[in-house]
């Protein structure tokens, strides 16, 4: 069965994930979704794909209710998602928790790089650093250029996702420009537990740092951010803000250990469910 957004929220809330119905509606509406229900109709397992154009697609929300684990349901959902992406001619990829990684390695997925989710507390002091580019809010008129800029660092087209995210938390959407050329951008979205900042894409550390500070200055509550572990300057900045680490992730691709994206320019991802 496909999954209704409300059923998805029931599943993702049990382990404490941050998705709301808008996230599930977006994923189910764009890709393929699979689910299993108990005899009484309650959702007990899910799997979702988020296909991108030309190269790869994302496997997301492999979830099983606690009472139904260790019955092979997660593996079954994985097979359904893998098959759905292969039928589209796309290589399956995902962000795994350490526990999930054990399942995915057996299915032929390889480690690519690691990330960590940080929680930045509410009440932090707003700080705007001098930026090597001009920063301003993203407008609807910017979206075509932003999508074109993103394609190279992301390694595929995801304009449908960037437009969706811009609509979800427009106050946190910031673009960096120099001499009329985009140098980076950041978007965000509302979540069940906290707002999420990401993706954060930039040409260099200084621009990424300025974009991060600009987005955080516009969001007053607690914020989570999924940062590549190789970005030491931003990791130090988050520590300055009193951020705590929540969970590690491992980016994995079926049969491939080289990333499709450019880890040097992808600072924070959109989220492990979105890539």
């Amino acid at each position: 069965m496909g999954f209704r957004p409300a059923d998805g929220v029931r599943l993702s809330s049990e382990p404490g994930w941050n998705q709301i119905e808008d996230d599930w509606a977006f994923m189910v509406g764009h890709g393929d979704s699979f689910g299993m229900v108990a005899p009484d109709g309650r959702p007990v397992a899910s799997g979702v794909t988020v296909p991108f154009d030309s190269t790869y697609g994302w496997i997301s929300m492999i979830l099983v209710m606690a009472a139904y684990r260790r019955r092979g349901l997660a593996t079954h959902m994985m097979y359904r998602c893998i098959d759905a992406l292969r039928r589209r001619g796309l290589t399956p990829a995902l962000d795994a928790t350490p526990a999930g990684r054990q399942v995915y390695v057996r299915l032929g997925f390889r480690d690519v790089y690691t990330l960590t989710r940080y929680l930045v507390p509410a009440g932090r002091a707003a700080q705007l650093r001098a930026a090597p580019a001009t920063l301003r809010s993203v407008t609807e008129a910017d979206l075509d250029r932003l999508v074109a800029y993103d394609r190279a660092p992301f390694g595929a087209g995801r304009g449908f996702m960037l437009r969706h995210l811009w609509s979800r938390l427009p106050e946190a959407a910031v673009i960096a420009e120099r001499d009329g050329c985009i140098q980076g951008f950041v978007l965000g979205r509302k979540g069940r537990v906290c707002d999420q900042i990401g993706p954060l894409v930039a040409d260099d550390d200084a621009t990424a740092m300025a974009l991060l500070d600009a987005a955080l200055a516009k969001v007053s509550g607690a914020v989570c951010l999924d940062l590549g572990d190789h970005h030491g300057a931003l990791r130090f900045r988050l520590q300055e803000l009193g951020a705590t680490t929540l969970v590690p992730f491992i980016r994995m691709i079926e049969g491939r250990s080289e990333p499709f994206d450019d880890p040097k320019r992808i600072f924070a991802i959109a989220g492990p469910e979105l890539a």
Side-chain angles (χ1 to χ4, degrees), residues 65 127 164 174 240:
M65 295 291 280
Q127 179 176 350
H164 170 77
V174 183
E240 286 183 325

Side-chain angles (χ1 to χ4, degrees), residues 57-79:
W58 215 246
I59 294 177
S60 178
M61 309 317 296
I62 302 296
L63 299 171
V64 179
M65 295 291 280
Y68 288 83
R69 292 174 189 163
R70 301 189 181 278
R71 302 185 189 185
L73 299 186
T75 300
H76 178 71
M77 292 292 102
M78 278 293 297
Y79 279 128

Side-chain angles (χ1 to χ4, degrees), residues 146-162:
L146 189 149
V147 168
Y149 166 83
D150 177 72
R151 187 178 185 91
F154 187 67
R158 57 171 174 174
F160 64 94
M161 180 182 296
L162 300 183

Side-chain angles (χ1 to χ4, degrees), residues 20 29 40 53-54 65 70 86 108 117 125 134 139 191 222-223 252:
I20 60 176
D40 63 3
D53 69 4
S54 74
M65 295 291 280
R70 301 189 181 278
R86 285 177 178 168
R117 170 163 292 188
T134 300
T139 69
V223 166
M252 306 182 77

Side-chain angles (χ1 to χ4, degrees), residues 129-151:
R129 294 172 181 248
T134 300
L135 304 184
R136 61 175 177 82
S137 296
V138 177
T139 69
E140 188 171 7
D142 296 317
L143 292 178
D144 286 347
R145 293 175 58 234
L146 189 149
V147 168
Y149 166 83
D150 177 72
R151 187 178 185 91

